[in-house]
């Protein structure tokens, strides 16, 4: 298969991300069997495995950048992507080349065809294929280390195929996917902690007590060592601006100082968690990690879609704040880094999200709210979203078109104002495509198949 053919095949598989239809599974045995046929490409290299509700991507990106700065060849598997599927499989910080992606997907497809008959009552998912292809690509490019991000939950996630893991990271846990993972923080934490393997070092970001209790208990049962970020380091921010933030941090092993290019106090927590994880990996994998490696990695880091500034007159800021806790952190960062006490918001998210919590988080600084759908099978009805904002003072308008909502928001904010677009990652990705003229894989496939493009840059 070439790249386009691999995407067309991928889209024939069941996919929770695209459709919202969850296929329950009792275990990950089909995934383990698939990897066995492929020669177990996920093994034979040090691994950092990451689960959590918020901050997985940013924390993983920081880990990857630090390891690469230390001279290691890295593989990083993320989800979801912003614009193109090959973004999910990153080699040395860059998306996997399209031909290499297609080659790995071809091997995954052929292996699935051979294994499927052994599991007649089960379905292989798009995420299974992507996960297998990532491990194949890491093997073929001979990466030194791999960072693997959980897709959904942990215990039954396609990535939970390791009998031993060097380092596990648990980022902040909050209520999410309650229909799948459970109705309480403790239930969700149980799913996330399911990736902890015997003997692993578990780095735990600052958590609610109900979550950390579960992680501690699971680690204790499995003979894993827990390092809590809040207890294992001294962290202080020394300055903050729209360009980033300066910090000092001291751990048992070293003192660090530098500039983190990402904004938001929560990103400093992510950075501290990532540094501790890299220290643990360096200790077990036997390589040198220095404060200069960390300084270089954090100063050069970019992570699109997270408090990303797309324009400055007016300010246009996008953020994939997809639940109430994330929205609160976004608002705090808007105040601290951008000096914003008021903003015009553009909002879109997926059906079934806790919109009331997100509305409450932004209401106190919202001048206007423009709620919109976008081209996605899972996009929530903007009329329903608008109701969550009605109890607050800010006027709310609904749109069926993201470009129309954005242009109305810019006109409302004026040149001296600020427009903040937030919600689902797929939503902010769609706005990036509109503003920056990016052709996503879905747009490319639509045009190839003769359908109208799903979006285009303003002319």
């Amino acid at each position: 298969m070439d790249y386009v053919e691999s995407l067309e095949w991928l889209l024939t598989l069941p996919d929770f991300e695209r459709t919202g239809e969850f296929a329950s599974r009792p275990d990950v045995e089909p995934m383990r069997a698939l990897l066995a046929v492929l020669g177990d490409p996920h093994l034979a290299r040090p691994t950092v495995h990451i689960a959590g509700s918020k901050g997985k991507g940013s924390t993983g990106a920081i880990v990857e950048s630090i390891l690469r700065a230390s001279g290691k060849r890295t593989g990083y598997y993320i989800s979801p992507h912003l614009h193109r599927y090959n973004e999910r499989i990153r080699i040395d910080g860059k998306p996997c080349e399209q031909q290499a992606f297609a080659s790995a997907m071809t091997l995954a497809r052929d292996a699935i065809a051979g294994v499927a008959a052994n599991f007649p009552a089960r379905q292989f998912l798009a995420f299974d294929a992507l996960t297998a292809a990532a491990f194949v690509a890491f093997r073929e490019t001979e990466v030194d280390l791999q960072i693997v991000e959980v897709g959904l939950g942990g215990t039954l996630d396609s990535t939970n195929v390791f009998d031993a893991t060097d380092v596990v990271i648990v980022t902040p846990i909050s209520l999410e996917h309650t229909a799948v993972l459970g109705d309480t923080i403790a239930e969700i934490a149980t799913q996330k902690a399911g990736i902890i393997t015997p003997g692993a070092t578990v780095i735990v970001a600052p958590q609610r007590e109900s979550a950390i209790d579960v992680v501690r208990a699971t680690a204790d049962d499995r003979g894993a060592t827990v390092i809590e970020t809040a207890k294992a380091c001294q962290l202080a921010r020394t300055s903050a601006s729209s360009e980033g933030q300066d910090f000092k941090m001291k751990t048992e092993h070293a003192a660090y100082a530098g500039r983190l290019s990402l904004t938001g106090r929560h990103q400093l927590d992510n950075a501290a968690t990532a540094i501790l994880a890299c220290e643990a990996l360096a200790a077990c994998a036997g390589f040198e990690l220095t404060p200069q490696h960390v300084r270089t990695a954090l100063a050069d880091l970019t992570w699109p879609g997270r408090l990303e500034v797309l324009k400055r007159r007016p300010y246009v800021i996008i953020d994939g704040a997809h639940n109430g806790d994330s929205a609160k952190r976004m608002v705090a960062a808007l105040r601290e880094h951008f000096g914003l006490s008021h903003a015009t918001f553009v909002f879109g998210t997926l059906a079934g999200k806790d919109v009331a919590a997100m509305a409450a988080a932004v209401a106190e600084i919202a001048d206007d709210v423009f709620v919109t759908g976008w081209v996605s099978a899972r996009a929530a009805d903007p009329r329903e979203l608008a109701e969550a904002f009605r109890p607050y003072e800010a006027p709310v308008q609904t749109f069926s078109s993201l470009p129309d909502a954005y242009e109305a928001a810019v006109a409302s904010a004026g040149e001296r104002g600020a427009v903040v677009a937030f919600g689902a990652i797929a939503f902010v990705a769609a706005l990036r495509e509109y503003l920056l003229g990016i052709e996503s894989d879905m747009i490319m496939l639509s045009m190839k198949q003769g359908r109208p493009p799903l979006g285009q840059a303003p002319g």
Side-chain angles (χ1 to χ4, degrees):
M1 296 188 292
D2 62 19
Y3 184 69
V4 173
E5 291 168 337
S6 70
L7 297 182
E8 290 174 334
W9 172 74
L10 190 66
L11 295 178
T12 67
L13 301 178
D15 189 347
F16 173 74
E17 289 179 28
R18 286 189 298 110
T19 68
E21 296 177 6
F22 182 73
S24 62
R25 50 174 59 175
D27 54 48
V28 292
E29 289 311 305
M31 190 67 202
R32 285 179 173 269
L34 171 60
L35 292 173
V37 168
L38 290 167
D40 287 327
H42 58 304
L43 305 180
R45 69 187 66 88
T47 299
V48 178
H49 202 180
I50 307 176
S53 303
K54 305 184 299 294
K56 293 194 302 291
S58 298
T59 302
I62 296 169
V63 169
E64 189 282 328
S65 187
I66 293 172
L67 295 177
R68 184 158 35 89
S70 73
K72 297 300 179 182
R73 185 164 173 76
T74 60
Y76 181 23
Y77 178 51
I78 69 169
S79 64
H81 60 280
L82 275 175
H83 310 297
R84 300 185 179 95
Y85 275 94
N86 63 321
E87 295 170 7
R88 297 177 181 235
I89 303 173
R90 308 181 76 83
I91 310 296
D92 286 336
K94 297 179 180 178
C96 178
E97 294 290 339
Q98 289 190 357
Q99 187 50 53
F101 178 93
S103 176
M105 287 297 294
T106 300
L107 289 174
R109 179 199 63 181
D110 294 346
I112 286 174
V115 170
N118 297 329
F119 300 92
R122 306 282 288 274
Q123 284 184 308
F124 280 96
L125 312 178
F127 192 74
D128 296 332
L130 286 162
T131 302
F135 291 133
V136 168
F138 295 164
R139 179 181 64 193
E140 297 304 306
T141 52
E142 298 182 332
V143 302
D144 300 317
L145 308 155
Q146 63 189 9
I147 305 99
V148 179
E149 184 182 321
V150 164
L152 176 64
T155 300
L156 300 176
D157 188 73
S158 304
T159 65
N160 194 24
V161 289
F162 299 99
D163 294 323
T165 311
D166 300 277
V167 176
V168 168
I169 298 176
V170 181
T171 66
I173 295 170
S174 59
L175 291 175
E176 57 158 348
H177 300 297
T178 52
V180 177
L181 302 180
D183 295 324
T184 68
I185 295 294
E187 288 175 333
I188 294 172
T190 298
Q191 293 296 318
K192 307 291 185 184
I195 70 169
I196 296 173
T197 56
T201 299
V202 185
I203 313 298
V204 188
Q207 302 282 350
R208 300 181 188 187
E209 201 62 33
S210 56
I212 190 63
D213 285 346
V214 171
V215 175
R216 289 175 185 143
T218 303
D220 186 58
D221 287 345
R222 300 180 184 179
T225 301
V226 171
I227 297 176
E228 297 178 38
T229 299
K231 297 179 179 179
C233 69
Q234 299 173 15
L235 177 65
R237 180 168 62 185
T238 56
S239 68
S241 72
S242 62
E243 304 298 324
Q245 47 196 328
D246 296 303
F247 74 98
K248 293 181 178 179
M249 173 179 164
K250 186 175 182 180
T251 72
E252 179 185 350
H253 303 287
Y256 304 91
R259 183 167 186 79
L260 175 63
S261 58
L262 305 179
T263 54
R265 181 63 176 78
H266 60 288
Q267 293 291 14
L268 275 187
D269 289 336
N270 292 340
T273 301
I275 291 169
L276 289 167
C278 290
E279 286 186 343
L281 191 65
C284 67
F287 64 91
E288 183 181 22
L289 177 70
T290 70
Q292 186 57 48
H293 292 149
V294 172
R295 179 187 290 270
T296 299
L298 298 190
D300 294 341
L301 184 67
T302 59
W303 199 235
R306 284 74 171 180
L307 286 168
E308 180 185 11
V309 177
L310 296 184
K311 293 187 176 183
R312 292 189 178 270
R313 292 186 68 86
Y315 257 127
V316 176
I317 302 165
I318 62 173
D319 190 61
H322 63 281
N323 61 26
D325 287 345
S326 296
K328 288 178 183 177
R329 293 183 176 199
M330 176 188 71
V331 169
L334 292 173
R335 285 174 162 150
E336 295 171 2
H337 291 267
F338 298 92
L340 296 179
S341 58
H342 296 278
T344 298
F345 286 91
V346 182
F347 177 60
T349 192
L350 306 176
K353 295 294 183 179
D354 187 358
V355 180
M358 289 185 269
V362 305
E364 59 185 281
I365 69 166
D367 287 329
D368 292 280
V369 180
F370 297 81
V371 180
T372 180
W374 78 103
V375 181
S376 167
R378 296 183 63 196
D381 187 328
R383 294 168 297 182
E384 295 178 6
L385 299 183
E387 292 306 311
F389 290 88
R390 300 291 185 203
Y392 304 102
E393 294 182 3
V396 183
Q397 297 183 48
T398 61
F399 294 80
S400 59
S401 161
L402 174 54
D404 289 348
Y406 168 76
E407 299 297 346
V410 169
S412 175
E415 196 171 273
R416 295 175 180 270
V419 174
V420 179
F422 79 105
I425 286 291
F427 173 73
V428 299
L431 184 56
R432 283 186 103 248
E433 290 160 17
Y434 173 68
L435 291 178
L436 303 181
I438 296 170
E439 182 182 270
S440 71
D441 279 342
M442 299 308 291
I443 293 174
M444 178 268 293
L445 288 173
S446 295
M447 295 178 70
K448 178 177 181 292
Q449 295 167 2
R451 300 198 303 268
L454 303 181
Q456 57 186 18

